[in-house]
Every structure is written in C-alpha cells, then in structure tokens.
C-alpha cells in the first residue's frame, strides 16, 4: 500500500528533508507551505502535489488539506520562532507563537483524523523542538508554545492508541536551517558578535558541538512511519546530540 504523507512547511529545511526521505520510502507526498516558489521547486523534484496556505489562516489551511483527500501520514512541521527578552514580549507575541506552533498542528489533526480513523491507521508526527523539553532564555513565547505542542501530542496519543493511530513529537535541537541562520543573524545584530560566532554558540549547546542536520531529523520521522513503530506513541523524541 502506498502511503500518502502530508507535510506542512514542506518546501524547505527540515520539511523538505522529511519529504525527500518519505518519498524515498515510496510515499506519495503532499506539501503545504507559504512560499510558492520553494513549494514548486520541491514538488517538481519529488513529483509531489502541493497547495499554498498559511497554517495560521485556519479556514484556508483546512481547505488546502481537504483538497488532498485523506492522508495516512501527517507531519506538522510548519513553525516559527520569536527571540527577545521576556520584558519585551507582549500577549500578541505569545498568541502568534501559539497560532503557528500549536494551533496549526491542532487544525491539521482535526482535519486528518477522520480519514485515519476510517482506515484504522495513521501516523501523526509533530515537529516540536528541544524547546518543548527544556527552557531557553529570550524565547519564552516559543518555548511555551513548543511545550504546549508536546503536551498536545501526549494527550492526543492516548485518545487514538486503540484506533491504529500513533501520535509522536520529534524534538530537534538547533538544526542547520534558515531558522538557525536567522537566529544567528539576530544574535549578531544584538550583541556585536559575528554571525559565525553566533552560529558556533548555538552549535555548542549540545555535547557534540555541532548543528543537527535536517536529514537526521527526517530519519527519526521515517522510523516513526514504519509498521514496526506501531507501539511507539505519545513520545517526544529528541534529535539533539545528547542535549537533553
């Protein structure tokens, strides 16, 4: 049976690596993202279907999911981070982090679960972060939202475990993506350090002293999609070189 894998934020970075890895396993790939150019490029490479939608525009996002029909694998990869001291955060910052990192995943699960339940099979993988397992300074809203995503994962897993559906979170550490590039630039701008020094400081947060590669995250996702992973649910799996 050919599985259909729907990946949000699937055009670049971790999402693209996951799409490539699942395609290599024979899955039919469907992508949702905001960057139409990047989506077209990745979709063309993989022979994938795609829709342009923002996961925080919930009505449009639901329509995009519905356009693909049912999916067997849902990877909620779309997310975003906001970095500044807590004293400079306002409630809108917390809401925006919850919107993209939690409620987008909630919306996708609500849309995908009926089809999975009808087939007694499904794999839901939420791409969280080590920020869902520990604290980091200057990203309080992001950390709160990723902790919420991990909690949602654990709770939903208990509701679906008897239906052939697994729900897990994969929690990467600092990964070599555009998001880390932007974080490095932000640190450099605010501290006067070079971008390379900032990048090395992020890499040094784990014992290996290096950034995680997107392909390493994709391998964890691919494993959770396998039939042999059917007893693994409600877990938050760190891909972080021993950081947590």
């Amino acid at each position: 049976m050919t599985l259909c894998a729907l990946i949000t934020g699937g055009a670049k970075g971790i999402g693209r690596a996951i799409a490539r890895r699942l395609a290599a396993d024979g899955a039919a790939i469907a992508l949702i993202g905001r960057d139409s150019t990047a989506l077209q490029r990745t979709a063309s490479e993989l022979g994938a279907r795609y829709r342009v939608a923002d996961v925080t525009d919930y009505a449009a996002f639901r329509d995009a999911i519905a356009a693909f029909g049912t999916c067997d694998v849902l990877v909620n990869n779309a997310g975003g981070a906001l970095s500044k001291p807590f004293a400079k955060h306002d409630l809108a910052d917390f809401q925006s982090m919850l919107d993209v990192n939690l409620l987008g995943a909630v919306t996708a699960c609500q849309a995908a679960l009926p089809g999975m339940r009808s087939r007694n099979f499904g794999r839901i993988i939420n791409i969280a972060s080590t920020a869902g397992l520990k604290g980091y300074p200057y990203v309080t809203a992001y950390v709160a939202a990723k902790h919420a995503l991990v909690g949602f994962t654990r709770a939903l897993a208990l509701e679906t475990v008897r239906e052939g559906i697994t729900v897990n979170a994969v929690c990467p550490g600092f990964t070599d993506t555009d998001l880390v590039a932007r974080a490095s630039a932000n640190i450099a701008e605010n501290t006067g350090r070079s971008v390379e020094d900032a990048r090395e400081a992020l890499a040094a947060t784990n014992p290996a002293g290096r950034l995680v590669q997107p392909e390493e995250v994709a391998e964890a996702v691919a494993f959770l999609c396998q039939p042999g992973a059917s007893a693994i649910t409600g877990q938050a799996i760190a891909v972080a070189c021993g950081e947590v």
Side-chain angles (χ1 to χ4, degrees), residues 20-148:
R20 286 172 169 168
R21 182 64 181 80
L22 296 184
D25 279 349
I29 304 300
L31 306 172
I32 293 178
R34 295 183 301 174
D35 187 332
S36 60
T37 301
L39 278 169
Q40 289 173 356
R41 182 168 57 246
T42 301
S44 177
E45 173 193 344
L46 301 177
R49 297 176 294 162
Y50 73 93
R51 293 287 187 278
V52 178
D54 187 327
V55 301
T56 66
D57 182 348
Y58 304 123
F61 184 35
R62 288 190 190 95
D63 288 345
I65 294 171
F68 293 125
T70 57
C71 66
D72 305 291
V73 175
L74 170 64
V75 182
N76 287 307
N77 170 71
L82 175 68
S83 177
K84 56 185 173 180
F86 174 69
K88 294 185 178 180
H89 276 71
D90 58 26
L91 288 180
D93 293 327
F94 278 84
Q95 187 63 60
S96 70
M97 288 294 95
L98 288 168
D99 286 345
V100 68
N101 292 300
L102 173 66
L103 298 180
V106 170
T107 300
C109 289
Q110 288 175 330
L113 270 172
M116 292 180 178
R117 283 178 160 142
S118 72
R119 298 187 303 282
N120 293 309
F121 178 85
R123 296 287 186 266
I124 296 173
I125 298 106
N126 297 320
I127 306 302
S129 167
T130 48
L133 303 173
K134 59 175 280 188
Y136 291 92
Y138 306 112
V139 283
T140 50
Y142 176 72
V143 168
K146 289 298 189 181
H147 271 70

Side-chain angles (χ1 to χ4, degrees), residues 137-233:
Y138 306 112
V139 283
T140 50
Y142 176 72
V143 168
K146 289 298 189 181
H147 271 70
L149 180 60
V150 170
F152 168 69
T153 299
R154 290 170 172 158
L156 184 59
L158 296 177
E159 292 194 28
T160 59
V161 69
R162 293 178 179 267
E163 300 175 282
I165 300 166
T166 65
V167 188
N168 291 287
V170 170
C171 301
F174 287 109
T175 305
D176 194 5
T177 64
D178 289 346
L179 188 138
V180 160
R182 290 193 297 271
S184 299
N186 187 52
I187 292 169
E189 180 181 346
N190 290 319
T191 65
R193 302 163 69 179
S194 71
V195 171
E196 187 55 37
D197 281 348
R199 179 183 169 90
E200 289 178 2
L202 295 178
T205 58
N206 72 58
R210 69 170 178 86
L211 295 175
V212 175
Q213 295 303 303
E215 293 75 17
E216 293 173 311
V217 182
E219 287 294 333
V221 173
F223 167 69
L224 291 170
C225 293
Q226 297 300 315
S230 59
I232 301 172
T233 193

